Amino acid sequence: EVQVVESGGGLVQPGGSLRLSCVASGFTFSSYEMNWVRQAPGKGLEWVSYINGAAGGRYYADSVRGRFTISRDNAKNSLFLQMNSLRADDTALYYCAREGGESHGDAFDIWGQGTMVTVSS
Amino acid sequence: SYVLTQPPSVSVAPGQTATITCGGNNIGSKSVHWYQQRPGQAPVLVVYDDTDRPSGIPERFSGSNSGNTATLTISRVEAGDEADYYCHVWDTIGYNWVFGGGTKLTVL
């Protein structure tokens, strides 16, 4: 089964750090571009960051640039999001999402169930 | 930065047709993707590249895109279609992905 599973969320104080992980299975992970998307409670979807298959290209939303770092380990079929200097408005459910590549253009065709990050003192 | 505008809500009776719009400057020149998100669940891709459907998505879901408006059309609406719907494009100038604000579809 093609799937991605996120982990690493939790409660963190403002200014703190957290590292999210996403493990992929059922497909050739290194061949796909990956993204992180978040959703604050009761709000819409917000794209956070992108990384290409070889990890040579990375993009970030303005709201997280300079604080978050996306990375991947293709040998371990894993995607990461290092989050530093966390703020209350970073509180959200964080999704890992695959870009469809040849299958579905660049649409996000596989999503995990998300991992919750709560920033609060 | 590029902005996508969706109506906050759309209501339709069962069996009727729901139309959800997504407005953006010259959006017709971009590839638009649409996602369905039921309460408490992860988003699901329902239309990609303006008009294509992933396998497993009913033919009742269709998309179009021209000028400054992309549209998701759901024919013969069922109770199970009640969800939030998001449009999605790549901003080639800002080098970022953009989601619309989402539209809550209510089946009366």
Side-chain angles (χ1 to χ4, degrees):
Chain A
E1 180 187 3
V2 176
Q3 64 177 357
V4 294
V5 178
E6 305 92 337
S7 62
L11 175 63
V12 62
Q13 292 187 340
S17 298
L18 212 54
R19 189 191 195 212
L20 306 184
S21 299
C22 167
V23 177
S25 58
F27 62 97
T28 305
F29 180 68
S30 61
S31 296
Y32 289 87
E33 298 155 304
M34 300 294 296
N35 292 264
W36 288 98
V37 177
R38 68 185 181 183
Q39 187 169 35
K43 302 298 184 182
L45 301 174
E46 180 189 14
W47 172 77
V48 173
S49 185
Y50 155 97
I51 188 168
N52 70 9
R58 310 173 198 213
Y59 302 122
Y60 299 92
D62 290 344
S63 58
V64 307
R65 187 177 294 112
R67 300 187 300 122
F68 290 10
T69 302
I70 191 171
S71 62
R72 65 191 297 163
D73 183 341
N74 288 337
K76 295 183 178 179
N77 293 337
S78 295
L79 175 72
F80 306 102
L81 186 67
Q82 177 66 43
M83 303 186 297
N84 299 331
S85 303
L86 283 162
R87 312 184 304 221
D89 62 359
D90 294 317
T91 294
L93 185 63
Y94 284 73
Y95 291 104
C96 167
R98 184 187 86 167
E99 289 192 23
E102 293 182 359
S103 303
H104 302 116
D106 54 5
F108 294 3
D109 65 345
I110 301 296
W111 296 68
Q113 288 303 306
T115 186
M116 187 67 200
V117 173
T118 303
V119 184
S120 175
S121 55
Chain B
S1 61
Y2 194 78
V3 176
L4 295 174
T5 301
Q6 297 182 237
S9 63
V10 167
S11 299
V12 64
Q16 299 304 302
T17 297
T19 300
I20 298 173
T21 59
C22 176
N25 184 35
N26 197 27
I27 195 174
S29 67
K30 301 180 181 299
S31 290
V32 180
H33 314 306
W34 291 91
Y35 304 89
Q36 175 194 68
Q37 186 179 34
R38 294 189 173 105
Q41 297 186 19
V44 173
L45 179 66
V46 293
V47 168
Y48 67 98
D49 289 350
D50 299 338
T51 60
D52 294 336
R53 278 176 292 103
S55 61
I57 301 301
E59 292 183 7
R60 301 184 297 104
F61 288 81
S62 63
S64 64
N65 184 20
S66 178
N68 292 318
T69 305
T71 303
L72 175 69
T73 302
I74 309 171
S75 305
R76 303 181 299 283
V77 166
E78 303 172 357
D81 298 331
E82 193 162 277
D84 294 325
Y85 291 85
Y86 296 90
C87 57
H88 181 220
V89 303
W90 173 252
D91 174 11
T92 54
I93 295 178
Y95 280 87
N96 54 18
W97 283 106
V98 180
F99 286 97
T103 297
K104 180 177 180 59
L105 175 65
T106 300
V107 181
L108 301 171

